[in-house]
Amino acid sequence: MAVLHITDRDGSQAEVESDTGYSVMEILQRNSYDVAAICGGCCSCATCHVYVDEAYVDKLGALEGDEAVLVESSEFFREGQSRLSCQIEFTDQIDGIKLQLAPED
């Protein structure tokens, strides 16, 4: 099991343990976080927008394609930190990742 550190929209913080191999979006939903994920993880909306702690940004693949378009068009875009949780595979390499749920657009 690996760990995610999550800051909710209200500022509350929690630590969630999960098996790897799932998207971060799936883990957030399974743990009752308010992530709409309207598209079901198909990278066609931005309702699973999160901010990734700067210490983990380099451990993720580059922001590109549809994901880049979607987060960059968000009113709450943060350069270098905005990602779609459906596009982040939870792996051992990002065990301990810290992220914050972005405000809803």
Side-chain angles (χ1 to χ4, degrees):
M1 288 233 156
V3 175
L4 291 98
H5 299 276
I6 303 161
T7 302
D8 208 341
R9 290 185 186 97
D10 64 5
S12 61
Q13 298 181 341
E15 184 177 288
V16 172
E17 289 187 15
S18 177
D19 290 324
T20 57
Y22 296 97
S23 72
V24 169
M25 177 206 75
E26 292 172 305
I27 297 166
L28 292 171
Q29 287 188 315
R30 227 182 9 250
N31 285 277
S32 301
Y33 281 92
D34 186 22
V35 176
I38 292 170
C39 72
C42 295
C43 195
S44 63
C45 72
T47 59
C48 67
H49 184 185
V50 296
Y51 302 128
V52 176
D53 185 274
E54 292 175 356
Y56 290 87
V57 170
D58 289 341
K59 295 180 181 189
L60 304 178
L63 178 64
E64 55 189 25
D66 290 340
E67 181 184 14
V69 170
L70 290 165
V71 295
E72 288 171 359
S73 65
S74 170
E75 169 183 359
F76 302 104
F77 175 68
R78 286 189 190 168
E79 183 73 41
Q81 289 187 289
S82 284
R83 296 301 297 256
L84 297 180
S85 61
C86 68
Q87 298 303 296
I88 302 171
E89 182 182 353
F90 192 52
T91 64
D92 288 327
Q93 289 75 24
I94 61 170
D95 182 15
I97 191 170
K98 296 178 184 177
L99 55 89
Q100 177 182 351
L101 301 185
E104 292 179 292
D105 270 324

